[in-house]
Amino acid sequence: MRWLFLKDLQILRRSPLLLVVLVVYSLALGVAVGLSRGSGPTKPRVAVVNQIPQAERKFDLGGETIDINTYARQLFDAIDPVPAKSPADALAKVRDGDAIGALVVPADFVSKLRGFANFTSNERPSVTFYYEGDNPLKSRYVRSAVTSRVADLNRALSEKLAAQASKYLDYVLHGGDVPLLGQVLGLEKAEQILRQVQDRLPGKDAQRGPLGQVADFAHVAAVNLALAKPLLGTIGRPVQADERILNASAGSDDAYTFAIALSIPLMFVCVLLGAGLLALEREENAFGRLVRGLVSRTGIIAEKTAIAATLGTVAAGLTLAVLVATGSDVAAKDLLAGLVVVVVGGLAFGALGVALGAAAREVRAASLLAVLVLLPIAVIGLIPVGLASPHLYDAIRIVSGFFPFRAVLNGIDEALRGQGMAERLLHLAGLLAGYGVLARLALRRFG
Amino acid sequence: MSSTTLGAERVTKRFGAREALREVSFQATSGERLAIIGPNGAGKTTLLSILSGVQEPSAGRVTHPPEIIGWVPQQAAVYGKLSVAENLRLFARLERCSDVEGTVDRMLSLTGLHERADDEVGKLSGGNKQRVNIAVGLLGDPDVLLLDEPSTALDPRQRELLWEFISSLAEGGTTVFFSTHNVGEAERYADRVLVLADGELLYDGPPRELIGAERDFEAAFVRFLHERGH
């Protein structure tokens, strides 16, 4: 088997163009898929709990009516809302995979906003947004959707709050008929009255000095408050958005990006080489010669799987080296753990390729079959929780379970975050054995 | 006295509903040259591949299989991207030859390919490819050599050299089976012919006995098949 392995390396070394095209194509595809995943083309499913009592969803602020439902509708344009009865229900939907995140608007939202607007409380209203912490890319789009809608709400509220505060300042400065309080004098009129009283007092009256001081204060206060008015426009964020990460783990933000960048080249190199190298044995008519006691059929499967995994690991290792060289916060020990997943995943991908090569029997047919199988595997493997309906997602998860891509992707991600990846490795080992058996069965009609 | 080296006992091979070989039986002795002839689809290649161990019979068995059987398939079973010497070296290692370099050198001399040793097999002519193919089949010093239409890609001169080479192997005690469409070659170079048609062994004996009253072996062969409904 060793000699067969070296022979395949020798053949590949004499086909440098093929190797370069294979690796460059796989890497380019990995980067392209990674970027497209980051942009989030479809509406993510978000569990929404609106605890504001129905009667309070429209309220008056500074003489203007605020309708919370208007802002909710804007948010729902960007997400696919999944109604939830309570925060616990919303979190359960996230954990069950029905939604990618949860948004909770508490019952005291309006009362806190009113208190803040009326300057009777410093406590700002808040909404809480929970999202899955298993990978940053998966949550990026939905975080962006929620935070931008909260920013819209803040923008609208801050204008109204500034107008409200401005009115109060006008009352303080100029006086007027204040709702609930009645007539208010105002600093300017207070100064005028004080000056008039001061002028009427005898020149040596002891009250003239203190009255002058009070009048000066009223003057300075009026001037400064007038200057403060434009500053009210800077009340930027009356509503807070609290972000909470579910399944939060210490680890790198680069993990998922790395996982995608490694998984796709690993998959393409291993599967295409496994399929092509096995089919080549038949095209060169050497298979019949080999299985006449020189190498067993199982030995050939093992050799092709091993060489595909070796070269796939080298390709993934090079990718990793480039990624790390360009800057990363992944710990060295986590990189090693990630490489373990790459090696086991490479073997599973290689075995898949060998099974495809055994089924297709010709190099061109095997390559075409491999590409036809790999693209859907990659696409469905990258669909995150919440971007599809729960039933469709369950179906995707089951189908993905029969292929190594998702297990490798999540395994590398977990490894780079310093989490255990034993479950993924076991999954991949099971797939390796399964594909090995399928390849062995297909080889019965191979020669 | 010559000893039995390889035989078949009621060997049958089915591909689905089609019966490619039907209860074929014979015995070969050491140093014997056996030609397997018959029309297209007669089962010649199937029989050779079963004797070589590439395929398993559906029923019956191969008898007295020696430890090493040399196999030279119809299409050159060598790697086009490797050189002549690299191919020989690889298969010598897989055959577990004790002296790999010595064996490679001997095969290069035997097939006259010394000067092309470093050439990629994919760039060789059909005749030279076939020589490499035969050299690989001979690497393990086999007791039995099986050749499937070995002269097909060769020009007359190369063909002559091939048969001289095969005859010398047989004189050295190697049993040689070869299939051919060229019945003249069977007449000239075989001690025995096995005539197959539709998977059935119709004749097993010396070529002269098949000729009978006919002067021409090819005409005798065609008449023989006609008489048996083929």
Side-chain angles (χ1 to χ4, degrees), chain A residues 10 14 281 285 289 292, chain B residues 52 69 71 77 79 81 86:
Chain A
Q10 213 165 7
R14 289 184 187 160
E281 295 291 0
N285 304 305
R289 180 163 265 163
R292 288 182 52 252
Chain B
S52 70
I69 298 178
W71 166 236
Y79 298 101
K81 281 277 178 187
E86 284 167 345

Side-chain angles (χ1 to χ4, degrees), chain A residues 270-284:
Chain A
C270 290
V271 175
L272 284 170
L273 282 182
L277 288 173
L278 181 70
L280 188 68
E281 295 291 0
R282 188 174 178 275
E283 280 200 355
E284 298 269 36

Side-chain angles (χ1 to χ4, degrees), chain A residues 181-210:
Chain A
L181 295 176
Q183 276 294 325
V184 172
L185 185 61
L187 285 169
E188 288 171 352
K189 282 184 183 163
E191 186 196 354
Q192 287 170 14
I193 292 168
L194 286 168
R195 299 275 182 218
Q196 286 167 5
V197 172
Q198 192 186 24
D199 289 345
R200 278 192 222 113
L201 286 172
K204 291 185 178 174
D205 192 314
Q207 296 296 319
R208 279 184 76 98

Side-chain angles (χ1 to χ4, degrees), chain A residues 1 3-4 7-8 10-11 13-15 280-281 284-295 297, chain B residues 52 54 69 71-73 75-83 86 90-91 93-95 120 133 136-137:
Chain A
M1 207 172 86
W3 300 118
L4 213 54
K7 178 269 295 180
D8 281 335
Q10 213 165 7
I11 287 176
R13 206 185 63 199
R14 289 184 187 160
S15 313
L280 188 68
E281 295 291 0
E284 298 269 36
N285 304 305
F287 183 77
R289 180 163 265 163
L290 292 174
V291 296
R292 288 182 52 252
L294 302 184
V295 189
R297 285 173 168 81
Chain B
S52 70
V54 173
I69 298 178
W71 166 236
V72 182
Q75 302 288 330
V78 285
Y79 298 101
K81 281 277 178 187
L82 300 188
S83 70
E86 284 167 345
L90 167 68
F91 284 104
R93 281 169 175 149
L94 291 174
E95 294 272 9
E120 275 189 16
N133 197 24
V136 172

